[in-house]
Amino acid sequence: EGDTFEVTATDTGPDRVNLELRRPGGMVHYRGTIEYAGAATLAPKAPKPGPLARYPHGTEEIYNRLLFHGPEFQVIRHVNGVSDMAAAAELDGVDTAGWPETPWATDPAAFDGGLQLALLWTRHHTQSASLPTRIDAYVPYGAPAAGPVTCVLRGRKAGSRNAVSDLSFIDRNGSVFAELRGVETHTLPGGSYPTRVAVAK
């Protein structure tokens, strides 16, 4: 039936705003900081993940057994491959996933798919289910071209209980349109998700 949340924004300097997402009553769910850049940042070249081994699970198995996402968030088309320090996948963006038509400034469907890839990469190391717990930075470089998106994951660290990686999102023209840096995931107690948690209708 829906939930109510409050977003608060506090200026902490001429180029910084602190944001918090709260449930009524004060519980903080997320917090982050916006830093305004003085000029547009040039996009880096599309990264190469290096040699990748074949990923052994198809999309049907991924969403029936390895992840918990409902139909509208099942945006991984194909995992291109995985290695100890990298992974890559083809994703649906907001248009190919059939999300509502609106003048999106970026592609949240693809970002969710990138986080899903980070969960699969964490499972590759830990054999356990995990959830994202932190993102150091979201860096936009402009609106993506319409169409499918390639996500390249480059690992920083992979331990027995958590992993850290950087995600680059590349549009159909080969341009990087955003990065999620320092994506941290932590494994769940018991190693598996509760029964179909947070399923999107």
Side-chain angles (χ1 to χ4, degrees), residues 64-173:
N64 285 339
R65 191 173 69 84
L66 303 182
L67 295 178
F68 56 85
H69 301 73
E72 292 188 3
F73 283 84
Q74 293 179 3
V75 295
I76 294 178
R77 289 184 166 194
H78 176 70
V79 176
N80 299 343
V82 65
S83 71
D84 285 348
M85 293 306 292
E90 300 301 317
L91 312 174
D92 280 321
V94 288
D95 53 346
T96 53
W99 284 30
E101 292 186 11
T102 188
W104 298 99
T106 187
D107 200 317
F111 296 157
D112 200 275
L115 294 176
Q116 294 172 37
L117 179 63
L119 300 183
L120 295 177
W121 184 70
T122 303
R123 184 184 285 271
H124 172 73
H125 286 279
T126 65
Q127 307 305 311
S128 295
S130 63
L131 288 174
T133 53
R134 177 185 174 91
I135 300 172
D136 283 343
Y138 157 64
V139 185
Y141 299 109
V149 173
T150 300
C151 178
V152 173
L153 178 152
R154 289 167 293 171
R156 292 191 192 179
K157 166 190 170 183
S160 61
R161 298 183 63 182
N162 74 319
V164 182
S165 59
D166 297 321
L167 306 177
S168 296
F169 296 88
I170 305 158
D171 67 18
R172 66 185 305 170
N173 295 332

